[in-house]
Amino acid sequence: MENETDVQPTVASAWQAKQAYAMAVISLVVGLAIGYLFRGSQSPAPRPVATVAAATKSPHAASGTGDQMPSLEQMKKMADDKAAPLLEKLKSDPNNSGLLTKVGDVYGATHQFKAAAGYYDKALNVDPKNVPVRVQFASCLYYGGDVDGAISQLQQALHYDPKDANSLFNLGIMRLQGKKDSKGALAAWQLLLKSNPQLSEDRKARVQKLITDVQTQSKS
């Protein structure tokens, strides 16, 4: 389917950074980044999680501090700098969903999930049927700790597009990791495979492996 789609100052800030990085690592450990296993013709290119994963592997490229991983404060500064020209444009065009989405992308890519979610939310107020952006919004809510809100957004995305692979894939991940709901995860992934027969073999195999792993763990 090549045509495709937590947080306080000082001591707490160190904990916050570790938690944010750990959540990204969780996704990578199982070979997936929420929102990006599948990309559709109407889906934007990989953004938040995928970009952060790359940044944390090569922190010197982003922070200029050798092998030291950039702090959330450094990442926020990077995001603020990159978002500045987009925010300037928004002053004269505040309801431009494309610009709002791009700002969300910038903040999501630097683990500023609350800020990113705010811009995705604004973009969806203008263009509520934009499923790829809603998937992005759900991912930011999830990484920000709002599992129920994230699942709700994916369910809304599926209301607009019941077969959307990203929504179904992420719904399974969030139900499994966020709610410990293995049955709900299996149901989402099985529906994904059933409703998307055009998936490439490697993507089918990846989803099937998740299904098999969960089924095996449930029996043990």
Side-chain angles (χ1 to χ4, degrees):
M1 186 173 172
E2 193 53 35
N3 284 333
E4 106 135 274
T5 130
D6 295 24
V7 319
Q8 276 191 356
T10 324
V11 174
S13 65
W15 176 87
Q16 178 183 0
K18 289 180 180 179
Q19 185 178 39
Y21 294 131
M23 295 189 84
V25 170
I26 287 171
S27 294
L28 296 174
V29 165
V30 292
L32 49 93
I34 286 179
Y36 307 122
L37 184 63
F38 306 102
R39 289 171 56 190
S41 58
Q42 295 183 350
S43 299
R47 296 192 299 257
V49 179
T51 305
V52 168
T56 55
K57 284 188 176 182
S58 303
H60 59 280
S63 66
T65 56
D67 293 331
Q68 183 177 355
M69 186 174 290
S71 67
L72 285 184
E73 289 77 11
Q74 290 172 317
M75 295 171 82
K76 182 180 184 303
K77 176 64 166 58
M78 291 158 49
D80 288 342
D81 290 344
K82 189 169 183 178
L86 299 172
L87 293 172
E88 189 63 32
K89 291 180 181 179
L90 278 172
K91 289 180 181 179
S92 59
D93 192 7
N95 294 321
N96 186 315
S97 61
L99 281 174
L100 289 165
T101 298
K102 287 180 180 179
V103 177
D105 296 348
V106 169
Y107 283 104
T110 50
H111 276 164
Q112 311 303 311
F113 298 119
K114 183 175 181 179
Y119 285 103
Y120 288 136
D121 192 20
K122 290 179 181 179
L124 289 167
N125 287 335
V126 180
D127 184 13
K129 295 183 180 181
N130 192 319
V131 170
V133 173
R134 197 169 291 279
V135 171
Q136 295 299 102
F137 183 31
S139 295
C140 286
L141 291 176
Y142 179 78
Y143 283 122
D146 185 1
V147 178
D148 291 333
I151 289 175
S152 177
Q153 289 301 320
L154 292 180
Q155 290 171 331
Q156 193 165 345
L158 289 167
H159 171 75
Y160 292 120
D161 184 356
K163 298 180 180 181
D164 182 62
N166 271 335
S167 297
L168 289 167
F169 179 73
N170 289 356
L171 183 61
I173 294 296
M174 292 179 189
R175 285 199 180 284
L176 181 65
Q177 293 185 354
K179 306 296 288 186
K180 309 303 178 186
D181 178 10
S182 58
K183 290 184 179 179
L186 289 173
W189 292 332
Q190 288 164 345
L191 179 57
L192 189 165
L193 293 177
K194 181 179 180 180
S195 59
N196 290 274
Q198 77 279 22
L199 291 182
S200 63
E201 290 304 315
D202 64 320
R203 288 178 171 89
K204 286 182 182 179
R206 189 174 297 186
V207 176
Q208 187 58 58
K209 184 179 187 306
L210 285 171
I211 291 174
T212 300
D213 288 347
V214 171
Q215 290 173 332
T216 301
Q217 291 171 6
S218 296
K219 293 177 182 178
S220 62

